[in-house]
Each structure stands twice: as structure tokens, then as C-alpha cells.
Amino acid sequence: MSHYTRVKTKLSSKECLLKALEDMGFSAAKLRVSNTPQHLEGYQGDRREQTAEIVIPRYHVGGAANDIGFKLQEDGSWGAIISDYDRGNRSADHKSKYAKGCNGYSETWLKRLYQRYSYHKVKDSLSSQGFSIMEETEENGEIFINVDTTGYGG
Amino acid sequence: MIKIRIDTEGNTHVEVNGVPGATCESLTAQLVAALGDTEEQRFTEEYEQELPDYVEAQNGEE
């Protein structure tokens, strides 16, 4: 039997979000992570109204940047807080291969982050259910994963 | 086999093939629950040809 499902990504796992941020060039050492929301800072060190539990400090964002935040929402998902300036921040020097070619922290950057998040989420989900990955490839910016289901009668 | 494609928007496409009926559904449900919100779910063309009435009924419920 065959079944096809398309799943819209929701950033619901803090662990996978942190792994995705690391892929995008922001390891744990470059983040401020707290259990309670902290105020974001603007490019002059000013305290902003917005708060977040996961923060990329402005000095790691690049140029005259503001903090970037990820705030835990009421539904348990994480929402990104990126200033308009940083969405087009041309001083952002993306060194991660996954962020190469992104203009600042634009929609493209966010989509790449979502893709890395999905990748880690898929791998964690498969691993926790005892599946092993047979093959993993990338083509035209998309990630393909083949999983063995022999133990499930396939 | 499970074929997974993660597109450039970060959405995940899951296709489960060659697994007995109930197991296939349960397997898909487990994966989907772990991943996020389901946007679209259907039986593949191959299966639709095999059991059209059942598939039509299932898809109609969604």
C-alpha cells in the first residue's frame, strides 16, 4: 500500500531549532538561550519591546544589526522575530554553506532555517521509531531521504 | 520504503510504499504527528487504481 502526505513545518522542537540554527552558523556559543523571554536589543544597545527565549545577539548578526529572536508561542511553536532592517541586512556575512547566497535574514534565510529544522526533525523522528536511513541526497536545493521499512513488512 | 523529500520551503513530503495497509496508515500517522501540521494527504495513484472505492471514501473524509 502507498500513502502520500505533505506536512507543513512548524517549529515545535527547541532542540531541532537549535540544531538548525547551528547549521545556519549560530552554534550554542553564539546564542543566548533562556527559559524565560528576554528583551531583545536594538543596534544601539537599546532595549526593545519584543522578547524571546532564543536570541542571536546583534554582534553575531552582522553590521549595525538588531538582535534576532525566537519566541515560544502559545501553541508551543517558535516564532522568529527579525527586524525589517535585518531582513535586508547586507552586512550579514553568512559563512555556513546552508546560508550562502542569502541576502541578510530574508525570507530565503528563514526558509533555509525551516529546511534544516525539518531535516533534523525527520532524522530524530525516524531514529526514535527505530528506522535507519538508507540513502540521503540533495538535488536542486531539496533533500531526499530513503528509509528502510523492512521490519514493517515492506 | 519511506521516501521523504524536504522542499526548499522546509515542508516535508512523506511517501510510504510497500507496507501492508493498516501498518502503512499507522506509520504515516506517527511520522506526520512528529513532524508538524498535515496539509495534504492522499493515497498514491498506484493505490488509487488498485482500490478506487476505498480511496475515494478515505479522501472524501478529509
Side-chain angles (χ1 to χ4, degrees):
Chain A
M1 183 174 169
S2 302
H3 203 256
Y4 169 84
T5 307
R6 182 160 65 114
V7 184
K8 188 172 173 59
T9 302
K10 202 175 189 180
L11 301 176
S12 55
S13 160
K14 183 180 179 180
E15 192 179 301
C16 291
L17 174 57
L18 292 174
K19 284 181 188 173
L21 283 168
E22 181 163 5
D23 287 348
M24 298 298 281
F26 300 102
S27 61
K30 289 184 177 175
L31 300 173
R32 280 202 315 264
V33 182
S34 52
N35 291 326
T36 52
Q38 307 292 313
H39 282 277
L40 301 185
E41 285 185 5
Y43 72 103
Q44 291 179 315
D46 50 306
R47 195 170 103 149
R48 298 230 152 177
E49 193 181 317
Q50 297 102 326
T51 60
E53 290 86 348
I54 299 173
V55 177
I56 306 174
R58 59 196 168 90
Y59 45 86
H60 286 311
V61 173
N66 307 288
D67 285 355
I68 288 176
F70 291 87
K71 186 173 174 57
L72 188 58
Q73 311 293 304
E74 282 183 10
D75 68 355
S77 67
W78 294 83
I81 303 170
I82 305 173
S83 70
D84 287 344
Y85 173 80
D86 289 313
R87 284 176 190 271
N89 182 348
R90 293 184 185 277
S91 302
D93 181 19
H94 297 300
K95 290 190 171 59
S96 155
K97 68 171 184 174
Y98 301 111
K100 284 273 183 226
C102 290
N103 178 22
Y105 299 87
S106 58
E107 196 66 22
T108 308
W109 184 85
L110 208 51
K111 283 176 181 173
R112 300 251 181 103
L113 176 73
Y114 266 74
Q115 191 187 42
R116 295 314 301 164
Y117 172 90
S118 296
Y119 171 78
H120 289 294
K121 189 72 182 156
V122 163
K123 280 189 80 171
D124 282 5
S125 303
L126 292 171
S127 171
S128 67
Q129 290 173 45
F131 291 110
S132 54
I133 293 174
M134 289 168 62
E135 189 184 21
E136 195 180 304
T137 54
E138 279 189 48
E139 197 179 321
N140 298 325
E142 298 189 327
I143 301 168
F144 296 85
I145 298 172
N146 288 337
V147 183
D148 184 14
T149 53
T150 308
Y152 280 79
Chain B
M1 181 188 281
I2 303 173
K3 288 182 180 180
I4 296 170
R5 176 169 65 91
I6 305 171
D7 66 26
T8 53
E9 308 259 312
N11 296 318
T12 308
H13 306 252
V14 182
E15 191 176 331
V16 182
N17 292 300
V19 180
T23 313
C24 178
E25 286 192 54
S26 137
L27 191 54
T28 307
Q30 284 173 41
L31 276 172
V32 169
L35 294 174
D37 289 343
T38 306
E39 273 209 331
E40 178 192 356
Q41 190 162 185
R42 63 181 166 79
F43 293 94
T44 59
E45 197 174 310
E46 178 192 23
Y47 190 68
E48 284 181 10
Q49 286 168 359
E50 215 173 301
L51 282 173
D53 294 341
Y54 177 71
V55 171
E56 195 179 323
Q58 291 290 307
N59 286 344
E61 286 171 8
E62 291 167 8

